Amino acid sequence: MNLHFELILEIIPYILQGLFITLEFTLLSAILGFVWGVVLALFKISHNKILNGFAVFYTSIFRGLPLILSLTLVYFATPQLFHYDITALEAGVITFTLNSAAYISETIRAGIAAVDRGQREAAIALGIPYRKMMWDIILPQAFKNILPALVNESIALLKDSALVSTIGATDLLRRANIVAAEKYLYFEPLLLVGFIYYILIISLTWVARILERRMRRSD
Amino acid sequence: MIEVHNLWKSFSHLHVLKDVSLSIAQGEVCAIIGPSGSGKSTLLRCLNLLEQPDQGKILIRNQEITSPKMDIQKIRQNIGMVFQHFHLFPHMTVLENMIYAPIHVKNIPKKQAILKAKELLERVNLTNKADSYPARLSGGQRQRVAIARSLAMEPEIMLFDEPTSALDPEMVKEVLEVIRNLAHTGITMVIVTHEMAFAKEVADRICFLDEGQLTENLSPDEFFSKPRTKRARQFLEKML
Ligand SMILES: Nc1ncnc2c1ncn2[C@@H]1O[C@H](COP(=O)(O)OP(=O)(O)O)[C@@H](O)[C@H]1O
Ligand SMILES: [Mg+2]
């Protein structure tokens, strides 16, 4: 076996630019997905039948479709439908936001349901309005319970982000493939980006542990 | 201060309150006693509409709170409630627990809210616990914080639902002491309790609930010496 890591030294900067794209993409999708997921979760626990039905239907759609199908659909259908020339990054962020919100909303809904009923009653008895009760009393407690699940969701998001390479975004994986095609070297660049993904995910897990520990301070 | 007219409440097919009428004057301390499951908590929870009655009227300060156009949040700010299991907000310190509602509901400036909270903590003997999280407190301390948290809203009415039932025996006294001191401040109080001696000492009136009916509504002296119904007599024999 002959490996040529010296050959890819020169393309490391090129690969690292892909890292920024992967991170930008994951971070944007995670944040937007979380916000939209919270909204969907609130729809799911609301007594409004329309909001409730919408959120349930929405979730079933994203659960029922392969992610790569949604992604290609958004990327290729948007220019056709809206006459907007969507970039691969935009298409990726939109799809992954919509998708991860569907999953996260289920997690958050369960997290809210797991918060002691008495918390809500105490808040109501104090005259705290619904919105403040949710944001300041219920959601922080729910969030703490589901933090590990949320981190798992971000890890999944980071891994799935490699799918944007299929629509041409020059993320980590795509760049590895480009290098591979140019230099006829497959193992080394793929191993390199594999290593980068691995480090990212391990760090994420580690950050989550610290967060969890800090939040447990109040227990 | 509080008037209850012909209140009915059921949970699906279970009739929990049956035609309960009751009126409590300003500054009065009313103890609600009765067997477990007789509807004491439900009655109390109707008073701030944590439960919606099926029929009947409730008036607080001559305002009908059961009327659909009532701003119930406004009314609730004036009614403190203390639960059996405290329900402190676990992610907030004692002080944060106490100032949240004054600041966010009554729009009191933070400085002023803190001042008030510290004053109340002194009253319940927990000055040194202001920055602790609830999980670090004993049951008795938590319940005293819960009482102080309610008082921070400066309510005219306080509702207590078995405030000492979840406590270890040695902590019951410190909580009762706080409630006893409160009774002397002229605040109107409704207390559901199984502490007969305490009810006798502190209450101006005893209401006995039996299977959802208010069968006795007497002064403590009368109630504890000669209850009118057989059921109340039996209940007292078991409790004393
Ligand atoms: N939310 C509820 N749903 C169904 N049944 C309830 C609910 N709350 C109370 N009950 C029932 O109503 C009855 C009276 O309850 P409660 O008012 O808590 O009694 P007490 O406080 O006197 O022990 C009990 O049989 C109880 O099981
Ligand atoms: Mg009860």
Side-chain angles (χ1 to χ4, degrees), chain B residues 20-54:
Chain B
V20 172
S21 297
L22 166 71
S23 104
I24 299 167
Q26 177 157 7
E28 204 172 13
V29 177
C30 173
I32 299 178
I33 64 178
S36 166
S38 57
K40 303 181 298 295
S41 296
T42 306
L43 174 58
L44 200 69
R45 292 158 61 85
C46 281
L47 297 181
N48 65 354
L49 295 192
L50 272 185
E51 301 290 353
Q52 196 69 41
D54 301 334

Side-chain angles (χ1 to χ4, degrees), chain A residues 117 121, chain B residues 9-12 14-17 32-45 51 84 161-162 192 194 209 212:
Chain A
R117 254 179 74 92
E121 294 188 345
Chain B
K9 172 72 187 173
S10 57
F11 293 110
S12 52
L14 181 71
H15 288 282
V16 178
L17 294 178
I32 299 178
I33 64 178
S36 166
S38 57
K40 303 181 298 295
S41 296
T42 306
L43 174 58
L44 200 69
R45 292 158 61 85
E51 301 290 353
Q84 185 175 349
D161 192 357
E162 301 197 30
V192 174
H194 287 296
L209 264 185

Side-chain angles (χ1 to χ4, degrees), chain A residues 3 6 37 45 49 64 66 71 76 126-127 150 159 166 170 197 212:
Chain A
L3 293 175
E6 75 284 354
I45 60 166
K49 287 215 167 64
L71 181 64
F76 292 109
L126 285 165
L150 288 180
K159 282 192 191 170
T166 63
T170 45
Y197 278 116
E212 226 180 309

